[in-house]
Amino acid sequence: MFASLLLLLAASAYASPIVYPRDVNDTDPFVFTNYNGLNFTQMNITLPNVTIFATGGTIAGTSGSSTATTGYTAGAVGILTLLDAVPQILNISNVAGVQISNVGSEDVTSTLLLKMAKEINEFVCEDPAMAGAVVTHGTDVLEETAFFLDATVNCGKPVIIVGAMRPSTAISADGPFNLLEAVTVASSPLAKDRGAMVVMNDRIVSAYYVTKTNANTMDTFKAVEMGNLGELISDTPYFFYPPVKPTGKKAYSVANVTSIPRVDILFAYEDMHNDTLYNAVASGAKGIVIAGAGAGGVSSSFNSAMEDVINDYGIPIVQSTRAMSGEVPVSDVSSDSALHIASGYLNPMKSRILLGILLANGKNMTQISEAFAGSADD
Ligand code: SIN
């Protein structure tokens, strides 16, 4: 019913520039096309307005078996089906839906990231009537998209990234409740000025720090050292702290960015070969992140190869850690060369996203070093 309401463009498409006015006593869902061209379902004028951007993933996944939590098809059902499963959303918020893509998150590209950031800025940040945004996403690379949106959408409105660990066809699928909680947080005035957040499994976690800690279980998204920002009990958000900005976090614009340069991640291991580095450069990487051992460590031979690449090609190399948590301090890499860049508390995946944004914005080696230095403790 909800889906057909969303589909049903009011015959005389009602376009309102700012407040979406309506009789406050009218309790029937009302569908119209807003001035951005989004089909908007308004339940009640007094409720906040939220736009849901759907990208795919397990939350939109289906399986032939209601007990299967592996071997299913991610990104199989569209946003209308997702919303149909949770009509309770309309008690919390008026919603518009945008289908950005419908793919497993491994197929999310930097082109899609730019599209998401630009559309959230346009449809949510620039629309004074819109309270916040929700992005439904596969969980596998969710933390990368969340970090990207945290860095590039900076209007103070909540941007909530949500996924599911069980496909929509599973018994006790987690997607519907996660989606309800995500919309609840996106609608909440308490969620303003906290950057992007991941909401799953009743937890609210900073997009800057969150990581997927378990490949299979529902309690997977955590900020291991930093903890949660808050939680939801009976669909009411509770924040443990007032709004606060992660140390070293900076805002970037992608308004004029049309592509993100290629940045490769190289995973360090015992007896690592230097040609992995040279191959990345030869293949066109414009920046490299090392998932180093411990606090960014690589062999002395690999270290010399990195010096060659930095000096001969001017390619920035960020040393992060392959460990689940902890930091790579500046002092641990700068003893080799002033050009070595420490990732601070950013893991390899987040370091890669940040380096791509910096390169896309034309930052030089010094500016890149400074941008990363903020997230290290020295
Ligand atoms: C994906 O990341 O798209 C598949 C896995 C998931 O969503 O949990």
Side-chain angles (χ1 to χ4, degrees), residues 58-223:
T58 295
I59 192 167
T62 56
S63 166
S65 158
S66 62
T67 53
T69 59
T70 58
Y72 53 84
T73 310
V77 302
I79 185 166
L80 299 181
T81 310
L82 286 185
L83 292 171
D84 246 351
V86 205
Q88 296 84 350
I89 282 177
L90 282 181
N91 300 328
I92 291 165
S93 166
N94 304 309
V95 291
V98 177
Q99 190 82 50
I100 292 268
S101 62
N102 206 0
V103 294
S105 68
E106 296 84 356
D107 289 328
V108 171
T109 58
S110 55
T111 306
L112 275 179
L113 289 181
L114 285 171
K115 182 171 153 74
M116 277 182 238
K118 287 177 183 181
E119 293 198 359
I120 295 172
N121 276 312
E122 183 184 348
F123 298 159
V124 177
C125 287
E126 289 168 21
D127 182 347
M130 208 57 78
V134 168
V135 178
T136 64
H137 202 285
T139 62
D140 286 348
V141 300
L142 183 148
E143 68 190 88
E144 280 139 277
T145 295
F147 185 89
F148 184 87
L149 296 177
D150 188 51
T152 58
V153 179
N154 287 290
C155 59
K157 294 184 184 180
V159 176
I160 309 301
I161 301 91
V162 62
M165 292 302 287
R166 294 177 176 166
S168 65
T169 43
I171 299 170
S172 288
D174 50 335
F177 208 80
N178 284 347
L179 184 57
L180 181 72
E181 291 194 330
V183 173
T184 304
V185 177
S187 311
S188 170
L190 299 173
K192 282 186 192 160
D193 299 321
R194 294 177 184 273
M197 289 167 274
V198 172
V199 171
M200 280 184 64
N201 203 39
D202 303 335
R203 303 311 196 307
I204 308 168
V205 197
S206 157
Y208 191 81
Y209 289 125
V210 73
T211 193
K212 185 173 186 177
T213 63
N214 187 296
N216 317 105
T217 62
M218 293 199 299
D219 60 338
T220 176
F221 281 96
K222 298 189 171 132

Side-chain angles (χ1 to χ4, degrees), residues 29 33 49 113 122 137 168 175 196 207 212 241 267 274 277 316 338 340:
T33 305
N49 305 315
L113 289 181
E122 183 184 348
H137 202 285
S168 65
K212 185 173 186 177
Y241 315 100
F267 194 92
N274 298 352
L277 182 61
H340 285 222

Side-chain angles (χ1 to χ4, degrees), residues 6-10 13-18 20 31-41 51-53 95-99 119 122-124 127 130:
L6 276 169
L7 275 175
L8 186 120
L9 284 177
Y14 181 86
S16 166
I18 303 290
Y20 307 152
V31 181
F32 61 94
T33 305
N34 79 357
Y35 73 106
N36 278 319
L38 308 185
N39 294 347
F40 199 84
T41 303
T51 301
I52 302 174
F53 299 82
V95 291
V98 177
Q99 190 82 50
E119 293 198 359
E122 183 184 348
F123 298 159
V124 177
D127 182 347
M130 208 57 78

Side-chain angles (χ1 to χ4, degrees), residues 211-212 265-272 289-299 318-328 343-349 351:
T211 193
K212 185 173 186 177
I265 299 176
L266 300 180
F267 194 92
Y269 49 88
E270 231 174 38
D271 203 16
M272 185 182 193
V289 173
I290 310 292
V298 291
S299 69
V318 175
Q319 284 174 254
S320 183
T321 175
R322 67 182 198 175
M324 164 66 79
S325 63
E327 79 152 329
V328 175
S343 69
Y345 279 95
L346 300 182
N347 71 17
M349 298 78 86
S351 299

